[in-house]
Amino acid sequence: MSGRPEILFPLFADLETLPGIGPKTAQSFGQIGVETPRDILFSLPYSVVDRQKKDTIQGAEFPGVVTVEVIIGRHQPARNRGGAYRITVSDAQTDFQLVFFHGRSRYLEAQLPEGSRRVVSGKIELFDGAAQMVHPDHMLPVEEADSIPGFEPVYHLTQGVTQKTMFKAAQGALQRLPELAEWIDPSLQKSKAWPAWDTAMRLGHTPQSLEAVSAHDPARVRLAYDELLAHQLTLALARQTERKQRGLSSLGTGALQRRVLLALPYQPTNAQARSIDEIAKDMADPHRMNRLLQGDVGSGKTLVAFMALLVAVEAGGQGVLMAPTEILARQHLEGLQPLAETAGVVVEILTGRDKGKERGKKLAALARGDIHILVGTHAVFQSDVGFQDLRLAIVDEQHRFGVRQRLELAEKGQGADVLVMTATPIPRSLALAQYGDMDVSVLDEKPPGRKPVKTAVVNTERVGEVVGHLRRAISEGRQCYWVCPLVEESEVVDLVAAEERFKQLRAELGEGVVGLVHGQMPAAEKDAAMAAFQRGDTQVLVATTVIEVGVNVPNATIMVIERAEIFGLAQLHQLRGRVGRGSAESTCLLMYQAPLSENGRKRLEVLRESEDGFKISETDLQMRGAGDMIGTAQSGLPRFQIADLEQQSDLMEVAQSDARTLLAQDPGLQSERGKAARVLLWLMKQDQAIRLISVG
């Protein structure tokens, strides 16, 4: 499949081949990434104006658009420069005025001669009690009035492009629509009653009502589905390519796992048991595992991860657990150590701190296979680190860790299985958009014994009371986090805010009591401040959001978040999860600055009422939209032109299973439907996927 199929050539021609587009307009379009007729087609109108002809303007809603046939009456040119040129006109029942600013008499007398009949269409409004239409959008002789669409589509524009230009260009692009073979599964298309692709495109650009531009219109849904299907096909092809690489079959005996389960003071939750089972099955399979373990704060991911590592050890191999920072790596080690002792396996840590002889000893033990499980930071990537038989690589906190690192790590063990853990509950539709090439296990229950965190919403003005509350908690031997927001774009300003708060709390609570961590500090200082807090040397930790990932201080029972209204819901939920890890009652205080917007208030209420991260993230998605929620730029979340992940989230699941089924039946996309799907990939500019097919 060397190049773009010929049937698509007209859609990928120059913009200037469309009616009404010259070099200058083409340049304006280029600024918003519209470069071909295809791009015009995928810029669907977002609204529609009713221009159906009426007999009279009487009874119309003011201000509003009306299309009406009139007899042209008296012209009143402007009295002074820059004044209004007025023409009185009469429809079937009443008179009103057409108004033109900077109107030129010669032009207007030629266009609208007195006594002639014209059809005018434009926005009519009341001015001093009289109806007037300022600069009509259309004024045509009656016999030409058919060229005014009954419903006129309204497009998003950019500077230098008018609605008329856009409408004309879209109509021109529609003339070129090829008839393409159907790539959607026939039974799906039938059950949803979706139109064919070219019909859907025509309907999309000629909406006959406001409903027709909503996300639920069948033609729109079909076009959105095409976009999601192309995206999921790309991910499924990537997954297929990855799976072709030789994997290892690691069959656990269950002996070590049984020891650990017997020693646990509680039963694993159903979600934990199900996830352990899914992972073990994947590891036994000769294909390479590529699985995402999604668990809410405190859902017991550590146990699941450890069980997976034990499968690798039972099968005679080794496992590695990677964390983004040294603090988190040490924390994982502390969490795993007691479990490892029960199972009788050797766990060791490797970070950038290991130097010289010590490091040499660890590496030798690792290469001999004396170390069963290695916990570490990215230091485990260095070329001199070799395993005797690496079977499983677990990566903690996906978003700090790109696809490239996932592959690098897997290459340490030829074909080692990969498990990625994330503590960020992402709504299902976004998880599929972002991790569609992975299989997903979800921990959606909490193990017994975790106490709920009390959440209160407090006005910033009551900061004195909050400090008093901290003072009491400290006197009882408790610890507290105080999170300052990253408000400004510039880190310097935030820093001032965090340092001011730090000084103020230190003055109120005492010298050695308060520590400070922020993004600008050298890593070593940051680690030292965190470690001091973990040891209990400091009782209050003032921090910018660097603490949201993972730090575990069971004795910390209060979380204060300043300007909570500007954080994302998912982020607030993560921060709140830093407390409530011990046996004591914990509190989270969300401080806001009045006045709160309606939206801000709603978001804080959701947090106060729910501790279910998945529910919270669904709400976050509805309220803020996908791009905001994950920060589209860094998330690798694709930008869709038509599909709306908030309103059409169910479509993403259908697209994923459809794409995977199609590739399972037809891995090289050679069947009739497979060939149609190739055309779809070209149409959607999924060049990466097209390369994968030609390689595969």
Side-chain angles (χ1 to χ4, degrees), residues 288-505:
R288 256 176 69 179
M289 170 168 79
N290 189 14
R291 187 170 275 282
L292 178 70
L293 177 64
Q294 244 196 323
D296 200 352
V297 178
S299 57
K301 286 186 297 295
T302 307
L303 179 69
V304 177
F306 187 64
M307 288 303 192
L309 290 163
L310 287 183
V311 172
V313 180
E314 288 172 356
Q318 294 163 298
V320 62
L321 171 60
M322 295 261 325
T325 65
E326 176 146 350
I327 286 189
L328 285 174
R330 296 205 173 276
Q331 208 167 281
H332 277 307
L333 183 70
E334 281 159 31
L336 295 179
Q337 207 85 55
L339 296 170
E341 278 163 21
T342 312
V345 297
V346 181
V347 179
E348 192 48 88
I349 187 165
L350 185 69
T351 68
R353 278 198 202 165
D354 292 300
K355 302 269 191 294
K357 273 192 185 153
E358 268 302 293
R359 180 180 161 92
K361 267 197 202 147
K362 282 186 187 177
L363 294 184
L366 194 63
R368 282 197 306 273
D370 294 350
I371 296 172
H372 301 125
I373 295 170
L374 184 66
V375 177
T377 54
H378 56 265
V380 305
F381 276 143
Q382 285 157 347
S383 51
D384 60 348
V385 180
F387 292 81
Q388 187 196 30
D389 179 9
L390 178 62
R391 298 296 186 92
L392 172 67
I394 301 185
V395 180
D396 187 14
E397 281 301 336
Q398 167 71 7
H399 48 265
R400 308 280 152 98
F401 224 84
V403 177
R404 205 188 72 242
Q405 283 108 326
R406 279 205 321 244
L407 293 171
E408 260 180 41
L409 188 63
E411 274 153 23
K412 282 271 178 209
Q414 281 0 93
D417 289 321
V418 178
L419 179 68
V420 173
M421 296 199 294
T422 170
T424 322
I426 318 174
R428 181 113 181 100
S429 60
L430 290 189
L432 289 176
Q434 217 175 347
Y435 305 120
D437 60 325
M438 304 178 86
D439 300 298
V440 182
S441 295
V442 178
L443 296 175
D444 47 13
E445 306 168 54
K446 290 217 162 123
R450 289 236 11 178
K451 295 205 171 158
V453 176
K454 281 210 302 255
T455 303
V457 177
V458 200
N459 191 320
T460 311
E461 289 168 3
R462 292 169 52 194
V463 69
E465 290 172 46
V466 175
V467 176
H469 186 68
L470 289 198
R471 194 177 280 118
R472 279 195 301 282
I474 293 169
S475 67
E476 289 163 15
R478 300 274 160 231
Q479 288 172 279
C480 323
Y481 291 103
W482 188 297
V483 176
C484 297
L486 288 169
V487 193
E488 302 296 328
E489 286 307 302
S490 90
E491 298 229 323
V492 185
V493 184
D494 301 322
L495 215 67
V496 174
E499 286 180 337
E500 283 303 303
R501 181 59 75 204
F502 166 65
K503 282 181 194 147
Q504 187 216 335
L505 289 173

Side-chain angles (χ1 to χ4, degrees), residues 649-672:
S649 56
D650 50 330
L651 280 184
M652 188 62 101
E653 293 207 38
V654 184
Q656 188 195 43
S657 74
D658 195 12
R660 288 186 173 188
T661 310
L662 173 61
L663 277 176
Q665 294 161 355
D666 178 13
L669 297 180
Q670 300 297 344
S671 63
E672 284 312 300

Side-chain angles (χ1 to χ4, degrees), residues 273-283 291 440-442:
R274 186 182 61 229
S275 300
I276 292 168
D277 195 46
E278 288 168 347
I279 292 165
K281 279 204 178 79
D282 271 5
M283 289 177 70
R291 187 170 275 282
V440 182
S441 295
V442 178

